[in-house]
Amino acid sequence: MQGGQKSTGKRIIITVVGQDRIGIIAGVTNVLADARINILDISQTIMQEFFTMILVADMTESTVELGELKERLAKKGEELGVQILAQHEDAFRYMHRI
Amino acid sequence: MFSLQEILETITMIQEENLDIRTITLGINIRDCCHPDPAVAQRQIYDKITRLARNLVRVGGEIEDEYGIPIVNKRIAVTPISMVAEASDTEDYVDFARTLDRAAAAVGVNFIGGFSALVEKGMTRGDRRLLDSIPRALAETERVCSSVNVASTRAGVNMEAVAELGEIIVETAQLTAERDGLGCAKLAVFANAPGDNPFMAGAFHGIGEPEAVINVGVSGPGVVKRAVEAAGDVDLGQLAEIIKKTAFKITRMGELVGREAARRLGVPFGIVDLSLAPTPAVGDSVAEVLEAMGLERCGTHGTTAALALLNDAVKKGGAMASSAVGGLSGAFIPVSEDAGMIRAVEEGALSLDKLEAMTCVCSVGLDMIAVPGDTPPETIAAIIADEAALGVANNKTTGVRIIPVPGKEPGDMVEFGGLLGRAPVMPVHGFASTRFIRRGGRIPAPIHSLRN
């Protein structure tokens, strides 16, 4: 990586979108805690009547790979009736930061 | 840290506006596979491709997963086969195509490009044998793509080759008649063909390229269309700015994926091809971008101007987003692969002549055009000659991928399936070009080729 595009290593962005209900944050953060993934930042809002939450997390000490985490989150998402995505932070860094 | 808006913008682009990486294409030099015994040469080609490309599909899948961006195709381009097969003691090159087909299947890629020859100034023995083998090679293989460069700004137009390609295209259509001439969808005829184009059917590993290289093609007409729609009634200068910014963001994803793929495969990163490549999916259409700019239908008056603005803005935005830009880099206007183009043809808004005009200001040329099965080879050659002349005179790449569909007439619909889509059969001019094409020879290079 060059020109200020230093990779942020193991930071990921988790996006949760769906109908608001009790237990969404608890459900998602539990999955992360179980895998020893540290949450760096959480923000949430209601957009077009949909609950939207963004988590920035660090997988440095994670006990699972990103692929496995995505599966666990997708399963939790089904339980909660929301869509949960997890992507490496560089996907956003490349597009929005020069 | 990122704002909520930034994160949702990226996710919306991918999930709702069809932003994807159209292809990561691994270019492989196979010049070192030459051998007098064709069987030995073919074995060496197979071994080299399967060795270098064995991780391509897996690495592509990993990147898709980690960054959450779909990579639609993983493909391979090799040195033009005419140059490699020429050293072998055989006149039939179809077995080389079969070798490529098997290698592509073994590593799990859907297309492999490079059953190609560069004949803009003349043909060697190997070039001639390759051209003779094209119809059968395309009929008897699944994944092999062929391309022939028949013209360049430096050399002019090789009209002998153009005339021959007219015959080859008709023969290929006939050999694949039961699949509506599908073989022709795997054959591109070029002027000024680039050696680092990642898109099929025209990809080959060019002369002057390294041993192996990763080239990336991005896509995102849907994202541009949404940005144009959201802009409202701004003037065209402001619209160009908006398209530039959007193209920048799209291209950054290509840059990220290209770098990562190259790093993980241990080969150099070549270029990002800044093309707007449509797919048959609704909303993923270049024609719809032009319509969003304010044209009732793509193909009406003003279409060429709108496309020129779009193409230029995509290049300007994209060029700033990537360390190396190359390939075709511009808006593609394939008829069968673009739902908006298909509709425009069906409604009588878009003709072959207008498409030809549009190719003056965007990348490639007459792409995925279905014409009646009884179109004479000389007429097809003349269509190629027109496109080649445009490319040569304007110092740009142009190409022709045309399918004379056996047994079909104007107004019929042909289904190719998958990314190749469906094409309405378009009428061609009935007046003959035969005498002009049969003159043969070469159209000399234009005066502006003398640049030294």
Side-chain angles (χ1 to χ4, degrees):
Chain A
M1 305 275 176
Q2 40 180 248
Q5 293 299 338
K6 200 167 177 310
S7 173
T8 45
K10 300 214 146 190
R11 286 226 296 251
I12 58 165
I13 307 263
I14 297 162
T15 320
V16 184
V17 181
Q19 287 291 337
D20 197 9
R21 56 168 281 183
I22 293 166
I24 296 180
I25 296 181
V28 175
T29 51
N30 266 333
V31 172
L32 299 179
D34 285 347
R36 293 189 53 78
I37 294 167
N38 186 30
I39 297 167
L40 303 171
D41 189 45
I42 300 185
S43 51
Q44 66 169 77
T45 185
I46 303 288
M47 283 181 83
Q48 293 157 2
E49 295 171 32
F50 281 105
F51 170 82
T52 306
M53 177 171 72
I54 313 266
L55 284 105
V56 183
D58 181 0
M59 290 188 71
T60 310
E61 290 182 34
S62 173
T63 53
V64 300
E65 293 294 320
L66 181 54
E68 164 72 18
L69 177 68
K70 285 173 73 165
E71 277 174 32
R72 290 189 191 180
L73 287 171
K75 216 167 130 196
K76 181 57 74 179
E78 269 174 41
E79 282 172 31
L80 295 167
V82 294
Q83 187 194 26
I84 308 181
L85 302 172
Q87 288 156 272
H88 194 285
E89 191 195 35
D90 279 351
F92 303 93
R93 178 170 300 278
Y94 256 73
M95 188 177 276
H96 297 291
R97 297 286 179 272
I98 306 171
Chain B
M1 216 47 78
F2 307 97
S3 73
L4 223 57
Q5 278 69 26
E6 287 172 332
I7 287 174
L8 292 176
E9 182 186 5
T10 302
I11 286 173
T12 307
M13 281 184 183
I14 295 168
Q15 297 218 319
E16 288 171 26
E17 299 164 8
N18 298 310
L19 172 62
D20 54 44
I21 303 298
R22 178 53 49 81
T23 179
I24 51 176
T25 302
L26 175 64
I28 301 175
N29 163 47
I30 54 167
R31 275 184 277 178
D32 54 351
C33 300
C34 292
H35 198 279
D37 180 349
V40 175
Q42 286 153 16
R43 195 182 66 233
Q44 292 181 156
I45 291 170
Y46 179 89
D47 289 347
K48 185 160 187 187
I49 293 171
T50 50
R51 178 165 53 83
L52 289 180
R54 69 178 185 277
N55 293 328
L56 177 65
V57 171
R58 181 177 58 78
V59 162
E62 284 171 6
I63 294 172
E64 254 180 310
D65 240 22
E66 274 175 46
Y67 297 103
I69 173 119
I71 300 171
V72 181
N73 296 299
K74 295 92 185 171
R75 290 170 170 172
I76 298 169
V78 296
T79 310
I81 286 293
S82 68
M83 295 179 189
V84 181
E86 194 161 56
S88 296
D89 189 18
T90 176
E91 291 190 2
D92 182 1
Y93 288 1
V94 176
D95 277 341
F96 283 92
R98 289 200 187 95
T99 301
L100 296 180
D101 207 32
R102 277 190 292 116
V107 297
V109 302
N110 58 355
F111 282 121
I112 182 166
F115 198 76
S116 304
L118 311 177
V119 299
E120 59 267 28
K121 208 164 179 187
M123 281 189 223
T124 67
R125 238 172 12 163
D127 294 331
R128 181 159 296 289
R129 289 171 180 169
L130 184 115
L131 261 63
D132 288 344
S133 304
I134 287 175
R136 277 182 51 227
L138 294 178
E140 293 173 24
T141 62
E142 289 296 318
R143 301 166 197 244
V144 175
C145 290
S146 177
S147 57
V148 182
N149 193 61
V150 294
S152 75
T153 300
R154 281 299 177 105
V157 186
N158 179 350
M159 288 297 289
E160 309 274 352
V162 168
E164 213 160 302
L165 258 310
E167 307 276 354
I168 287 168
I169 287 169
V170 168
E171 193 185 337
T172 303
Q174 283 161 356
L175 287 182
T176 51
E178 80 290 351
R179 286 173 288 166
D180 287 327
L182 182 69
C184 298
K186 298 181 285 178
L187 172 59
V189 184
F190 278 113
N192 292 322
D196 54 5
N197 157 31
F199 289 102
M200 295 298 168
F204 61 89
H205 188 70
I207 310 309
E209 291 289 318
E211 184 66 17
V213 68
I214 282 287
N215 296 318
V216 172
V218 294
S219 163
V223 182
V224 176
K225 181 191 164 203
R226 194 66 69 92
V228 170
E229 283 170 349
D233 280 325
V234 297
D235 76 24
L236 292 171
Q238 289 168 291
L239 202 58
E241 284 300 310
I242 289 163
I243 295 170
K244 265 159 67 177
K245 286 179 189 155
T246 309
F248 179 89
K249 291 176 183 171
I250 295 170
T251 307
R252 291 299 289 166
M253 287 306 247
E255 177 83 2
L256 169 64
V257 167
R259 280 174 185 278
E260 269 306 300
R263 189 180 65 78
R264 293 179 194 196
L265 289 166
V267 300
F269 174 39
I271 56 97
V272 177
D273 188 316
L274 306 177
S275 289
L276 279 187
T279 66
V282 172
D284 204 19
S285 154
V286 170
E288 287 174 19
V289 176
L290 302 174
E291 290 169 5
M293 288 168 77
L295 300 166
E296 189 180 357
R297 273 293 169 274
C298 175
T300 193
H301 304 293
T303 300
T304 310
L307 182 59
L309 183 153
L310 171 66
N311 198 57
D312 181 65
V314 166
K315 280 189 222 174
K316 284 175 179 163
M320 301 304 289
S322 172
S323 52
V325 173
L328 300 165
S329 284
F332 289 179
I333 51 170
V335 172
S336 78
E337 301 169 0
D338 185 316
M341 294 285 174
I342 294 169
R343 183 178 65 177
V345 171
E346 283 178 326
E347 293 181 0
L350 181 60
S351 68
L352 206 51
D353 291 337
K354 188 63 179 178
L355 277 166
E356 183 184 310
M358 290 161 71
T359 64
C360 297
V361 298
C362 76
S363 94
V364 205
L366 295 174
D367 195 13
M368 289 304 288
I369 311 282
V371 296
D374 60 2
T375 307
E378 292 84 1
T379 297
I380 290 173
I383 291 169
I384 294 170
D386 283 341
E387 276 299 316
L390 285 178
V392 165
N394 294 310
N395 218 343
K396 71 187 286 293
T397 304
T398 49
V400 174
R401 188 157 53 139
I402 192 166
I403 305 115
V405 188
K408 300 280 181 176
E409 291 172 7
D412 290 346
M413 193 56 127
V414 193
E415 299 280 345
F416 295 114
L419 271 181
L420 294 173
R422 53 198 275 276
V425 176
M426 300 176 78
V428 298
H429 289 288
F431 297 100
S433 321
T434 314
R435 214 174 130 230
F436 176 72
I437 293 300
R438 288 196 181 155
R439 283 178 188 273
R442 205 146 52 86
I443 297 179
I447 188 72
H448 58 255
S449 69
L450 305 174
R451 281 184 301 185
N452 290 338

